[in-house]
Amino acid sequence: MEKTKDLADLSSLSERKRRDSFGMFDGYDSCSEDTSSSSSSDESEEEVAPLPSSLPIIKNNGQVYTYPDGKSGMATCEMCGMVGVRDAFYSKTKRFCSVSCSRSYSSNSKKASILARLQGKPPTKKAKVLQKKPLVAKLAAYAQYKATLKNQSVNKAPVTVEGFSWGNYITSNNTAAAPVTCFRHAPMGNCWGDIAEGVRVEVPNTDSNLPTKVFWISGIVKLAGFNALLRYEGFENDSSLDFWCNICGPDVHPVGWCATSGKPLVPPQTIQHKYTNWKAFLVKRLTGAKTLPPDFSQKVSESMQYPFKPSMRVEVVDKTHLCRTRVAVVDSVIGGRLRLVYEESEDKTDDFWCHMYSPLIHPIGWSRSIGHRFKRTDILKKQESNYDAPSHLFTKVKDIEQGSEWFKEGMKLEAIDPLNLSAICVATIRKVLADGYLMIGIDGSEAADGSDWFCYHASSPSIFPVGFCEINKIELTPPRGYTKLPFKWFDYLRETGSIAAPVKLFNKEVPNHGFRVGMKLEAVDLMEPRLVCVATVTRIIHRLLRIHFDGWEDEYDQWVDCESSDLYPVGWCQLTGYQLQPPAPQSNKDSQSNISKQKKKSKSQPYKGHKKNFRKPGIRP
C-alpha cells in the first residue's frame, strides 16, 4: 500500500488512513468508518504490482505510533471486543481501542448488545452488523493474508531433520551461503530485490510473558539463502537472543503489518528496562531503514505455484537405458520437483525425480520429432484420467542454426559422464538428431547396443571442446583400457583417425551467476535424484560448478552447471516441505564406501558397465 506522503492538510485526516513514520496505521484504528471500508475493498481488487528494485524505506512523517511498553498488560475494547496492549488503547481509561469505538459506545441503541458482550453472551445479529468497520476491514485483510499462505504448496510445512539446523551449521562453520539470486528457478529467485543485512521486519516476540502472541521489530544480521539471522531491535550488540528463521515463512512481515492487522508490538522483556520511551527509540532506529515490500508474502505464494499437475503425461529419460525415453505420469509436485512414475509401473514404485525445468523431460511426441529412441507403452496401460502435459510448460532450448559446418558422427569432444558425474571423459558423437540434439558415448565404455549413449543438446553446458580440461587444469578421464598415459589428445586423434568437434559449435556463454567457492547450498544428488543434500561449491570453472556433498568423500562430488535446476538456496527444503539430507556423521565416514552410501543409494538398478565402484546409475541434466 502506498504510504501517505502529504500530511499538511489536516482536514483530510478523518477521511483517509493516517500513517505513522513506519508506514503503519496511527494506533490500531485511526480510520473513519467509510474510508476504511472502501479502502479494504479497493485493495482486494487492485492488481498487485511487481516487487520494486529497491525495498520500501521507512520514513518519519510526524505521525507517531504509540508503541506499547508491555508493562500495563492487555485490555479488551468495550465496544468491539478487540484485545490489545492496554497502552495502545484510546482515552485515559483505556476502555476503547479507538475514537470510533468510544463514540459508538455512547449510542443507546447498542447498550444491550454491549452488555451481552461483556457478560460473555453471543452478540445479536444486529450487534454484529453494527461492529465498527475498521476492525472488520482489518480482520478481512488478515484473513486474506492467511488464505494466501494456505494457497501455497500443501507441502509447505517446515521439514526438520533431527540434529541438523542450517543456522547452527552456518554459524559454527563460519561459512556463507549462495544468495537466492543465484537460483532463478527457485521461489523468489527473480524478485528477491534488495533484501540484505539491515532490513527490518516484524516477527513474533518469543521473549514475552504475555498470554497472547505478540510481535516486535527485528533486523537482519546475516543472510544465508532463504534463512536470516535476526536480532530484536534494542539489543544493539547483544547476540544472546539472536535467532534464525526463513524470511519467506508465514511469521515474517514488513514493518507496518502489525498496525494494519491489529497485532500488538511489545518489546522483549529482557530489555524493557532499557528505555522509558520506546516510541522515540523506534522513531530514531527505523527512520530511513528498509523493510520488505507490502506484497512480499503474496509474491512468495505466487512464486510457489507450479504449472505441472498430477496425472500429466510426459516423456522422460529411461533411467535403465539412457539412450531412450519413456512415458511417465506426474505423481506429485513438491517445490517444482516432479515425482514421475513410468506409465507401465503397475504398483507405482518405478519412478524418477527431476525438476520441472529439467532438460530430461519433454512433451509427448518429442522423441519421434527429433529421431530419439523411445520405448512404447502398452496402450492398455494408459488411464483415461491421464492427459498430455501442454508443450508450453517445458523448457525451450536455444535455437541453433545447423549450417554446413555442424557436429558430425565420429567427432571427438569432452563430456560429463552421466553415470559418473565427478568425471569429465573422452567422448564421441554417435548420432546427430534433429533440432540440435546429439547422442554421445563415452570412449572405451560403451555398451555394444549403444544402450548407454545419452542425449545432450548442442547448447548444453555439459559438453566441451577437445582441450577444455587441459586448459582449465581439470583431470580428464581417458578411455577405459587406454595405456598410453598421460593422455594426449593429439596422439589419440591420430591413432583413432578422428577429428575434434569445432570449438565454435560449443556453448561459450558464461552468465554472471554469483557463486563463490565455499558457498553452501542445497543440491540434488543426481545419482539418486530424489535426494536433496547439504552441499558446498568447491570449484568454479567459468559456468561449471564442482558440488561437494558435506560429510561424504570427494569421489561423490558432481560437476553441475551454474543454472542447473537441481541447485537450491539454503532453506529451500524447509520452505517447500521437501526432505533435506543432512551431512553424513563423521563417525560414519570410514564406512561410507561400503555401507552408508550404498544404503543411501538403494533405489536404482546397478549399472553393469565400467564403473563398478560407483553407487547406482544417475542422470546428469
Side-chain angles (χ1 to χ4, degrees):
M1 297 172 62
E2 184 179 356
K3 299 179 181 177
T4 303
K5 295 180 179 179
D6 186 6
L7 298 176
D9 188 3
L10 298 179
S11 63
S12 65
L13 289 180
S14 61
E15 299 183 2
R16 67 180 182 180
K17 296 180 179 179
R18 293 185 300 174
R19 296 286 180 174
D20 73 341
S21 57
F22 314 124
M24 297 185 285
F25 287 112
D26 183 17
Y28 286 109
D29 180 14
S30 58
C31 316
S32 68
E33 296 181 10
D34 294 338
T35 57
S36 176
S37 177
S38 61
S39 175
S40 177
S41 175
D42 292 341
E43 290 172 7
S44 63
E45 298 177 1
E46 183 180 16
E47 183 177 356
V48 179
L51 286 179
S53 57
S54 59
L55 299 180
I57 297 178
I58 305 168
K59 299 178 180 179
N60 181 6
N61 56 24
Q63 294 298 315
V64 179
Y65 180 83
T66 305
Y67 286 90
D69 58 12
K71 296 179 180 179
S72 303
M74 309 297 289
T76 301
C77 179
E78 295 183 15
M79 177 58 210
C80 69
M82 187 180 76
V83 177
V85 177
R86 183 178 178 84
D87 282 356
F89 273 46
Y90 173 74
S91 79
K92 294 181 180 180
T93 59
K94 307 299 181 185
R95 296 172 60 193
F96 310 103
C97 67
S98 66
V99 177
S100 175
C101 279
S102 177
R103 291 174 179 172
S104 298
Y105 186 82
S106 62
S107 173
N108 292 332
S109 62
K110 298 179 183 178
K111 287 185 178 179
S113 49
I114 294 171
L115 179 61
R117 183 187 302 279
L118 294 177
Q119 292 174 344
K121 299 178 182 179
T124 63
K125 182 176 181 180
K126 181 179 180 180
K128 293 180 181 179
V129 175
L130 292 175
Q131 286 184 15
K132 66 186 184 74
K133 291 182 181 179
L135 174 63
V136 175
K138 287 184 289 186
L139 293 177
Y142 183 66
Q144 183 178 8
Y145 168 78
K146 297 297 287 185
T148 299
L149 295 178
K150 188 176 182 180
N151 287 335
Q152 296 180 10
S153 172
V154 295
N155 297 297
K156 190 176 177 294
V159 172
T160 57
V161 180
E162 184 177 359
F164 178 77
S165 164
W166 260 123
N168 294 338
Y169 193 65
I170 292 287
T171 303
S172 60
N173 291 283
N174 193 27
T175 56
V180 173
T181 52
C182 291
F183 311 88
R184 294 296 182 182
H185 56 283
M188 301 299 292
N190 290 312
C191 52
W192 190 246
D194 296 335
I195 299 177
E197 296 177 7
V199 169
R200 305 305 208 282
V201 293
E202 292 179 355
V203 293
N205 176 8
T206 58
D207 184 28
S208 171
N209 56 5
L210 297 176
T212 59
K213 187 175 183 179
V214 296
F215 295 78
W216 190 240
I217 297 173
S218 296
I220 298 178
V221 177
K222 183 174 183 177
L223 266 179
F226 289 119
N227 292 348
L229 181 63
L230 300 180
R231 180 174 300 169
Y232 290 122
E233 284 295 337
F235 275 81
E236 307 301 338
N237 296 323
D238 182 1
S239 61
S240 60
L241 287 186
D242 288 2
F243 60 98
W244 286 90
C245 75
N246 196 303
I247 284 292
C248 296
D251 274 337
V252 180
H253 312 280
V255 171
W257 176 86
C258 281
T260 60
S261 303
K263 300 296 181 181
L265 280 171
V266 178
Q269 60 180 355
T270 302
I271 58 171
Q272 282 183 5
H273 64 280
K274 291 184 64 175
Y275 301 96
T276 56
N277 189 341
W278 281 103
K279 173 191 67 178
F281 167 79
L282 288 175
V283 168
K284 181 178 180 181
R285 289 286 295 173
L286 299 183
T287 299
K290 291 183 178 182
T291 187
L292 300 178
D295 60 348
F296 183 74
S297 64
Q298 185 169 349
K299 285 297 181 183
V300 172
S301 176
E302 292 174 355
S303 68
M304 294 179 65
Q305 303 302 314
Y306 309 108
F308 281 88
K309 306 299 180 184
S311 299
M312 284 185 174
R313 300 171 74 240
V314 301
E315 288 185 12
V316 65
V317 67
D318 186 342
K319 65 182 181 183
T320 60
H321 294 81
L322 308 187
C323 66
R324 69 186 184 189
T325 57
R326 297 169 61 183
V327 173
V329 178
V330 177
D331 177 74
S332 58
V333 183
I334 304 178
R337 292 194 63 77
L338 313 178
R339 180 180 182 260
L340 303 173
V341 176
Y342 290 113
E343 198 168 44
E344 292 182 327
S345 177
E346 295 183 356
D347 58 359
K348 294 188 176 183
T349 58
D350 190 9
D351 62 358
F352 184 79
W353 282 88
C354 67
H355 194 272
M356 63 182 183
Y357 295 148
S358 170
L360 300 177
I361 59 172
H362 310 277
I364 298 296
W366 172 83
S367 297
R368 174 186 290 183
S369 68
I370 70 163
H372 194 283
R373 290 190 193 178
F374 176 73
K375 181 183 179 182
R376 296 187 179 277
T377 302
D378 186 346
I379 193 64
L380 297 178
K381 300 290 184 181
K382 182 179 178 180
Q383 299 182 9
E384 294 182 0
S385 59
N386 298 337
Y387 60 101
D388 298 349
S391 58
H392 70 270
L393 300 184
F394 298 85
T395 301
K396 300 295 186 291
V397 295
K398 182 180 179 181
D399 291 332
I400 294 179
E401 295 184 6
Q402 298 182 211
S404 57
E405 190 173 5
W406 185 243
F407 291 102
K408 295 181 175 58
E409 292 183 16
M411 283 184 172
K412 301 294 182 181
L413 69 163
E414 299 174 4
I416 297 176
D417 185 350
L419 296 174
N420 181 355
L421 294 161
S422 66
I424 299 178
C425 306
V426 175
T428 302
I429 297 174
R430 293 304 180 188
K431 188 176 181 180
V432 179
L433 308 178
D435 296 341
Y437 287 95
L438 310 169
M439 296 302 296
I440 296 174
I442 300 298
D443 283 22
S445 306
E446 299 173 64
D449 59 356
S451 61
D452 55 357
W453 294 355
F454 47 95
C455 184
Y456 279 143
H457 192 262
S459 63
S460 171
S462 298
I463 58 175
F464 317 96
V466 164
F468 173 84
C469 286
E470 182 178 0
I471 293 173
N472 293 287
K473 296 180 173 54
I474 300 174
E475 182 181 356
L476 177 67
T477 302
R480 181 185 179 189
Y482 189 76
T483 58
K484 192 175 180 180
L485 302 176
F487 179 85
K488 298 293 183 182
W489 264 115
F490 180 81
D491 294 338
Y492 185 70
L493 292 174
R494 179 167 49 86
E495 293 168 3
T496 58
S498 306
I499 62 173
V503 175
K504 66 180 181 180
L505 299 181
F506 292 85
N507 183 3
K508 293 179 284 293
E509 295 180 3
V510 180
N512 183 19
H513 48 70
F515 285 101
R516 299 291 181 269
V517 172
M519 282 183 170
K520 299 292 182 181
L521 70 163
E522 298 176 4
V524 174
D525 183 346
L526 294 167
M527 302 304 291
E528 182 54 79
R530 64 185 175 85
L531 302 179
V532 178
C533 311
V534 173
T536 306
V537 178
T538 57
R539 193 176 180 189
I540 302 175
I541 306 295
H542 306 304
R543 63 182 299 150
L544 196 62
L545 310 179
R546 181 81 169 181
I547 301 298
H548 174 75
F549 296 103
D550 290 18
W552 299 102
E553 298 173 358
D554 293 345
E555 66 177 287
Y556 301 117
D557 290 0
Q558 297 177 0
W559 288 109
V560 181
D561 182 62
C562 65
E563 294 183 342
S564 170
S565 57
D566 293 304
L567 303 178
Y568 307 102
V570 165
W572 178 86
C573 281
Q574 180 189 25
L575 177 65
T576 62
Y578 206 96
Q579 180 66 54
L580 177 66
Q581 303 297 316
Q586 292 298 316
S587 59
N588 293 344
K589 206 165 186 178
D590 295 337
S591 59
Q592 284 177 16
S593 298
N594 299 324
I595 300 176
S596 299
K597 204 64 179 180
Q598 293 176 9
K599 289 183 178 179
K600 183 186 176 190
K601 317 293 175 186
S602 60
K603 214 170 175 58
S604 302
Q605 298 178 12
Y607 175 56
K608 304 300 184 181
H610 63 294
K611 297 171 184 65
K612 61 181 181 179
N613 292 330
F614 260 79
R615 299 166 286 183
K616 305 292 176 184
I619 308 300
R620 171 63 167 83

